[in-house]
Amino acid sequence: MATPVIIDCDPGIDDAIAILLALASPELDVLAITTVAGNVPLANTTANGLRVLDLARRADVPLAAGATRPLVHVPAGDSSETHGETGLDGSGLPDPSRGPVAEHAIDLIARLALAQPGEIMLAAVGPLTNVALLAALRPEAFAALRGVMVMGGAASGGNMSPYAEFNVWFDPEAAERVLQSGQNVTLVGLDVTRQAILNATDIDALALLPQLGPAVAGMLRFYMRKHVHWYGEEIVYQHDSLAIAQLIDPAILSSRHCHVLVDTGLGPARGATLVDRLGVYGGTPNARWAETVDVERFRSLLLQRLAALAASL
Ligand code: BDR
Ligand code: CA
């Protein structure tokens, strides 16, 4: 039976690919998409989620907009340099054919979670603001989720500061709130997502796909510019797709149950995730921390599923 999933996201180019991967996979039943401010402002992440659903011809999947800003501090920047001003630059996708549903993201997640207690996985691949608000405002619904698969965190080097990964950096208080929640939380951090790579040849192959090719390859080529600038290689990290892939095929990642703490101070390590792999702090384990990734298994899954989706449209 397919796992029911809600994707909370901030599309975002890698979010867009992650949504397509989920929609392409019979192992998952995508019940809804919810959006949050992150890579770009909420109006853009919401429009982009709808543009991707249009691309995949999934008018049946509701999309609800959530938080317009982080819980406490509004950070100095976003990721528009990486994803473009729209958040999906290079995709060439038209404006969405519809708007979000009237329900707030938190109300939509709560309603669905209570209708299927213990069954729904929440894939959180943007800042954790919506998830923290759900935990605070609708604790019974939050507890009714089967778990939360988060793309976030970094143990050995960030992408927004030497220590902080973007999703946690953008709203550290929300991430800490989620980690303290007692929910079944898995963190898929940069240590593994930086191994989840597509290269220029992969993108050239994706460009040939019917229906999806121009949009998918166009946005990935845009996304690659920043990667070339930062890492000197013609690659793109598929951060968010790795979290989705783990829901499709749990053999892709191995993880360790340990205590993870977020630095919510205002100093240079704000947004850092302190991952106590050895249990030296004595904190109770509160998350599964992804440690190893089967890179080839992930890459072939992603490429095959995008091809299958394209062929089905
Ligand atoms: C995360 O930050 C965002 O820019 C990406 O969409 C991904 O969710 C990687 O740090
Ligand atoms: Ca994201």
Side-chain angles (χ1 to χ4, degrees), residues 9-16 38-39 78-79 82-83 124-127 151-153 158-160 164-168 188-190 193-194 223 237-241:
C9 56
D10 61 337
I13 292 169
D14 63 320
D15 303 70
N39 283 321
D78 58 18
S79 271
T82 305
H83 300 265
V125 297
M151 189 281 126
N159 54 5
M160 291 308 289
E165 178 280 329
F166 178 80
N167 289 337
V168 177
V188 180
L190 290 181
T193 67
R194 280 186 172 135
Y223 191 48
Y237 295 144
Q238 296 304 299
H239 304 289
D240 294 346
S241 283

Side-chain angles (χ1 to χ4, degrees), residues 17 39 46 48 52 150 153 158 168 172 177 179 181 214 229 239-240 271 282 287-288:
I17 304 295
N39 283 321
T46 300
N48 290 342
V52 174
V150 175
V168 177
R177 176 71 180 78
L179 282 166
S181 69
H229 172 76
H239 304 289
D240 294 346
R288 299 212 155 268

